[in-house]
Amino acid sequence: LRALPGRQGGSLLPELVEVFLGETPKLLARLAELERAQEKEEFVLLAHRLSGSAVNLGGTAMREAGLELEQAARRGDWKSVSAKRADFETHWRSLAAVLRKEVS
Amino acid sequence: VKVLIIDDDPIARAVLEAELRALGHEPLAASGAAEAWPIVSSGGARVVVSDWMMPEVDGLEFCRRVRASGGEYVYFILLTQMTDSPENEQMAGEAGVDDFLNKPVSRHDLRLRLRVAERILEFTRKVEELESILPICGYCKKVRDDRNYWQKIEKYLSERTKTELSHSICPDCMQSIVNPQLERLGIPTHPKQAPRVDRVQ
């Protein structure tokens, strides 16, 4: 990913990290809302999308946590979703820290 | 090759676009089926790399729509995040999916899949070209159909065009074939007709 050229001349990585760090907190907040409302379908899609973004930036642990979260929501197991979402957010914070360091 | 990427995740789209450019292809991108449909239906891309899980219309449903619309063959690659299960593979096969790629997509896998796609599309083009040529016997004028059967041209045309054919005799054949036979049998012949002016020389 570091070697791929970006759309604005330099490397693609800092461009993607900027999008990821900017968008993810809003999407995580939306995920929490969806959990409260128990909106299964949208929750699953959003968890899936966040996992996909993470793995494209090397966040395999966040992806694994995201897939578990997605599966728990699919089953309608909202008790488990709550714990798994907290775990997902922990992985997000770790990945965000690594990515910030990477592009600084 | 023009490759259409369909993914609701802007990061996944951007990575795939850059990878495709690095491989020498021409990427087009859409965030969902609504954006992708005009590109595919106008023949803007013959290879599609689509995410499976997307809001509203998912990758499988989009593939079904592409197949149902007919037209030129589109090579359809489905992106997945999970390990492919036999059930998922069967479902995807029934929808008309040609191949899978796991996320994150590696350049190596992408290159391999696109080579296969290019080969399949080239074979498809050749088959379409051959299908547009109708082999006809130089002697009896029977034609060979797509199941390799030789059949009378009347039957072939009638089956394909749903046109009822009625038998008749053209002025040229009347003059050169029928009238001499009638003369030999002593039967009065039809008046001679002027040769047709639109005859192929």
Side-chain angles (χ1 to χ4, degrees):
Chain A
L1 207 57
R2 286 188 200 96
L4 286 172
R7 286 165 290 192
Q8 282 122 41
S11 164
L12 182 65
L13 183 64
E15 287 179 26
L16 297 185
V17 169
E18 193 187 328
V19 174
F20 187 63
L21 295 180
E23 291 295 313
T24 308
K26 286 178 254 175
L27 297 175
L28 287 171
R30 176 74 187 139
L31 205 59
E33 280 173 21
L34 292 168
E35 183 194 321
R36 280 193 291 277
Q38 300 197 349
E39 290 275 357
K40 187 163 131 180
E41 205 172 310
E42 201 182 332
F43 186 98
V44 166
L45 283 168
L46 187 53
H48 186 83
R49 181 181 148 181
L50 281 164
S51 307
S53 297
V55 80
N56 269 298
L57 293 167
T60 46
M62 184 174 166
R63 193 264 289 265
E64 294 310 313
L67 293 180
E68 280 186 27
L69 179 62
E70 189 188 317
Q71 279 159 12
R74 251 183 229 282
R75 293 192 303 269
D77 181 0
W78 293 103
K79 211 177 216 178
S80 181
V81 164
S82 188
K84 288 186 188 300
R85 192 173 57 76
D87 186 39
F88 187 56
E89 289 196 0
T90 305
H91 285 293
W92 144 249
R93 283 190 289 275
S94 307
L95 179 61
V98 171
L99 291 173
R100 273 191 207 102
K101 204 170 159 189
E102 179 71 38
V103 296
S104 63
Chain B
V1 176
K2 282 185 183 169
V3 181
L4 175 63
I5 305 156
I6 315 171
D7 202 316
D8 58 319
D9 173 13
I11 291 175
R13 277 203 309 274
V15 172
L16 256 178
E17 275 187 76
E19 291 287 9
L20 286 166
R21 262 191 222 101
L23 289 171
H25 297 289
E26 193 182 331
L28 303 165
S31 61
E35 252 181 73
W37 182 249
I39 300 171
V40 176
S41 59
S42 66
R46 304 261 328 253
V47 180
V48 171
V49 180
S50 171
D51 194 17
W52 185 321
M53 280 187 64
M54 292 187 290
E56 290 159 26
V57 178
D58 67 15
L60 276 196
E61 181 52 31
F62 187 73
C63 185
R64 281 189 203 104
R65 290 182 190 184
V66 170
R67 296 290 179 245
S69 71
E72 287 193 315
Y73 194 78
V74 171
Y75 195 85
F76 207 101
I77 302 172
L78 199 63
L79 289 169
T80 61
Q81 277 207 57
M82 320 252 202
T83 314
D84 305 330
S85 66
E87 295 80 20
N88 281 350
E89 282 180 348
Q90 192 182 335
M91 224 172 17
E94 282 165 7
V97 168
D98 293 296
D99 211 339
F100 295 92
L101 270 171
N102 284 317
K103 280 186 175 181
V105 176
S106 80
R107 188 179 298 181
H108 173 74
D109 288 346
L110 190 59
R111 184 188 287 124
L112 289 179
R113 301 300 196 286
L114 290 175
R115 268 196 205 143
V116 173
E118 281 182 279
R119 273 206 298 271
I120 297 284
L121 290 178
E122 179 58 18
F123 291 145
T124 310
R125 192 190 60 74
K126 282 182 182 162
V127 167
E128 284 165 355
E129 203 176 281
L130 288 170
E131 278 177 347
S132 69
I133 299 169
L134 186 63
I136 183 162
C137 172
Y139 296 97
C140 70
K141 308 299 178 198
K142 277 183 187 164
V143 294
R144 196 178 68 203
D145 66 14
D146 44 16
R147 287 164 299 163
N148 210 20
Y149 289 127
W150 289 92
Q151 58 181 193
K152 283 187 173 176
I153 195 160
E154 298 94 312
K155 191 164 183 274
Y156 184 90
L157 285 176
S158 177
E159 279 175 6
R160 274 154 187 80
T161 64
K162 308 289 175 214
T163 307
E164 289 293 322
L165 298 174
S166 77
H167 284 92
S168 185
I169 302 166
C170 74
D172 287 350
C173 293
M174 178 62 79
Q175 198 172 336
S176 63
I177 301 168
V178 180
N179 281 350
Q181 285 177 356
L182 291 173
E183 277 168 12
R184 277 199 298 276
L185 293 168
I187 299 168
T189 57
H190 289 262
K192 299 233 179 217
Q193 293 177 31
R196 291 179 53 166
V197 290
D198 60 347
R199 185 164 63 183
V200 177
Q201 297 298 312

